[in-house]
C-alpha cells in the first residue's frame, strides 16, 4: 500500500461540503467539470466517495467521471500534504540539474516523486516550466519560489516548512 493510500484509509471523508456543492449545480452532465473543480478546491483532492456521489447525482457512469478527473492536471485523486513541493523538470531546469534536486528531495523526505509523506506534511511533485527559467533549477512550495537550487540548499529550505 502506498503512503497516499494509507492516508486515504485513515481519514474518513466528510461529505457535507459535497452536498452543498451538488446543490449549487443542475444535475446534468454539463455540470461535471464545475462540480469537480469545486470538490478539488474544497477537499484539495477528489475523494473516491465524492466521485461516486457525483456519478450518482449526475447519472453518469463512474468511469466517465474518472476519465474527466484524471484528464486534467488540476485534479488529484490522492490527498496532498500541507506543503506541496513542485520541482520544475522543464528543459532549462533539467539541464541545470533538476533531476538531482528531485533525488535529494526523495532521499530527505523518504518518498518517491508523486507521493506524500506519511505525516501528511509534504507532497513531492514534478512539473514542467513554472515560468522562472532564469532561476533554474527551481522548486515551488505552496507558491513560494526557490531558485538556483543545489543539493546542499534543499535541507535548509525544507526546515523552513517544518
Ligand atoms: S524550465 Fe524550469 S522554470 Fe522554466
Amino acid at each position: 500500500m502506498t503512503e497516499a493510500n494509507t492516508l486515504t484509509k485513515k481519514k474518513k471523508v466528510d461529505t457535507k461540503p459535497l452536498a452543498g456543492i451538488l446543490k449549487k449545480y443542475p444535475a446534468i452532465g454539463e455540470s461535471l467539470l464545475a462540480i469537480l473543480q469545486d470538490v478539488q478546491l474544497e477537499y484539495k483532492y477528489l475523494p473516491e466517495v465524492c466521485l461516486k456521489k457525483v456519478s450518482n447525482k449526475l447519472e453518469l457512469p463512474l468511469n466517465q467521471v474518472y476519465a474527466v478527473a484524471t484528464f486534467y492536471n488540476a485534479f488529484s485523486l490522492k490527498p496532498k500534504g500541507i506543503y506541496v513541493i513542485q520541482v520544475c523538470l522543464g528543459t532549462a531546469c533539467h539541464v541545470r540539474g533538476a533531476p538531482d534536486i528531485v533525488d535529494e528531495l526523495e532521499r530527505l523526505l523518504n518518498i518517491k516523486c508523486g507521493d506524500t509523506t506519511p505525516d501528511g506534511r509534504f507532497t513531492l511533485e514534478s512539473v514542467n516550466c513554472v515560468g522562472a527559467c532564469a532561476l533554474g533549477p527551481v522548486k515551488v512550495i505552496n507558491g513560494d519560489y526557490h531558485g538556483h537550487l543545489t543539493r546542499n540548499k534543499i535541507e535548509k529550505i525544507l526546515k523552513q516548512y517544518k
Side-chain angles (χ1 to χ4, degrees), residues 88 90-93 129-133:
C88 177
T91 305
C93 289
C129 191
V130 293
C133 309

Side-chain angles (χ1 to χ4, degrees), residues 14 20 26 34 53-54 60 65 69 72 78 94-95 99 104 111 121 132 138 149 156:
D14 176 7
K53 284 182 184 288
V54 169
L60 289 173
V65 174
Y72 295 99
K78 292 185 200 174
H94 196 278
V95 298
E104 184 65 2
I111 56 172
R121 196 146 192 89
V138 175
L149 294 173
K156 194 173 170 194

Side-chain angles (χ1 to χ4, degrees), residues 138-158:
V138 175
K139 72 176 173 182
V140 183
I141 304 179
N142 287 17
D144 298 339
Y145 281 66
H146 300 272
H148 303 300
L149 294 173
T150 62
R151 274 183 182 265
N152 297 338
K153 290 182 181 174
I154 302 295
E155 193 164 7
K156 194 173 170 194
I157 293 169
L158 282 184

Side-chain angles (χ1 to χ4, degrees), residues 31 39 57 59 79 134 146 149:
S31 300
V39 172
K57 177 78 179 185
E59 296 182 1
H146 300 272
L149 294 173

